[in-house]
């Protein structure tokens, strides 16, 4: 592994999570600042309530986001859900889905790298959260089809990707 030596540790003028906390307040989301480096936000989506954990990782200078929805994966569906995670991840340009094994919960994860003392912009913070919620909204039904309807990963993904046109 390459070891890069940087002479000085940079001081940041503010904590990057302060910006995200303001964004949560502006959107009237329920949030809790667990510590200087951890923020929990609840966001109501169209399909589910999303639990968003945002962490400042000072050692790598990155904001990490993890977004989970209320869908516990039973052990008997675990293999098929892992197949679906793989199929979904092939379609994503930003972030990825994981199955958090200790809780059997599907979550979306992504990070914003701010190396060299870079400060996040309002637009970057909003885009980070939007990417997480949009991905969860887009694929929630696919995971639900696999977990609750017993569909295969491919069937779940195909079912969730149907675009409806017009109104009934």
């Amino acid at each position: 592994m390459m070891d890069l030596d940087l002479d000085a540790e940079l001081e940041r003028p503010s904590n990057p999570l302060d910006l995200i906390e303001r964004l949560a307040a502006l959107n009237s989301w329920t949030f809790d600042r667990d510590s200087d480096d951890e923020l929990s936000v609840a966001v109501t989506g169209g399909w589910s309530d999303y639990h968003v954990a945002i962490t400042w990782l000072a050692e790598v200078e990155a904001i990490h986001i993890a977004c989970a929805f209320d869908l516990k994966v039973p052990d008997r569906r675990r293999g098929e859900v892992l197949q679906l995670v793989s199929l979904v991840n092939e379609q994503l340009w930003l972030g990825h889905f994981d199955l958090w094994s200790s809780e059997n919960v599907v979550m979306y994860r992504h990070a914003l790298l701010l190396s060299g003392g870079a400060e996040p912009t309002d637009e970057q913070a909003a885009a980070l959260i939007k990417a997480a919620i949009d991905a969860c909204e887009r694929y929630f039904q696919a995971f639900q089809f696999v977990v609750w309807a017993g569909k295969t990963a491919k069937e779940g993904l195909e079912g969730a990707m149907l675009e409806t046109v017009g109104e009934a």
Side-chain angles (χ1 to χ4, degrees):
M1 184 172 183
M2 184 190 301
D3 188 22
L4 297 176
D5 196 14
L6 298 175
D7 293 2
E9 199 166 309
L10 297 169
E11 283 294 318
R12 291 185 171 274
S14 65
N15 185 322
L17 291 190
D18 294 344
L19 174 65
I20 295 177
E21 187 174 343
R22 284 193 309 275
L23 179 66
L26 286 171
N27 284 281
S28 301
W29 295 327
T30 303
F31 65 91
D32 183 33
R33 187 75 175 257
D34 303 325
S35 71
D36 283 346
D37 296 336
E38 295 180 24
L39 178 67
S40 299
V41 181
V43 178
T44 300
W47 297 112
S48 180
D49 290 335
Y50 300 106
H51 311 285
V52 185
I54 303 145
T55 308
W56 169 242
L57 304 167
E59 64 277 2
V60 293
E61 295 185 278
I63 298 172
H64 176 263
I65 188 168
C67 184
F69 38 80
D70 288 325
L71 186 68
K72 193 105 169 162
V73 177
D75 287 337
R76 68 186 182 344
R77 300 301 297 156
R78 187 174 173 78
E80 204 62 43
V81 167
L82 287 170
Q83 275 282 18
L84 179 57
V85 164
S86 179
L87 291 174
V88 167
N89 285 342
E90 288 176 358
Q91 298 184 23
L92 294 176
W93 284 82
L94 296 173
H96 66 280
F97 280 93
D98 280 328
L99 179 58
W100 191 23
S101 48
S102 65
E103 298 291 325
N104 274 356
V105 173
V106 175
M107 71 171 52
Y108 171 89
R109 296 178 42 189
H110 187 43
L112 175 62
L113 188 60
L114 298 169
S115 58
E119 291 292 321
T121 65
D122 291 346
E123 294 80 10
Q124 286 173 314
L128 184 67
I129 293 173
K130 184 177 179 350
I133 300 302
D134 286 354
C136 288
E137 283 283 285
R138 181 169 177 94
Y139 295 105
F140 175 80
Q141 283 190 305
F143 288 104
Q144 194 174 43
F145 288 156
V146 170
V147 171
W148 297 118
K151 302 290 185 188
T152 66
K154 186 176 179 190
E155 291 169 334
L157 186 60
E158 288 170 354
M161 297 293 97
L162 289 176
E163 297 279 334
T164 55
V165 178
E167 293 182 28

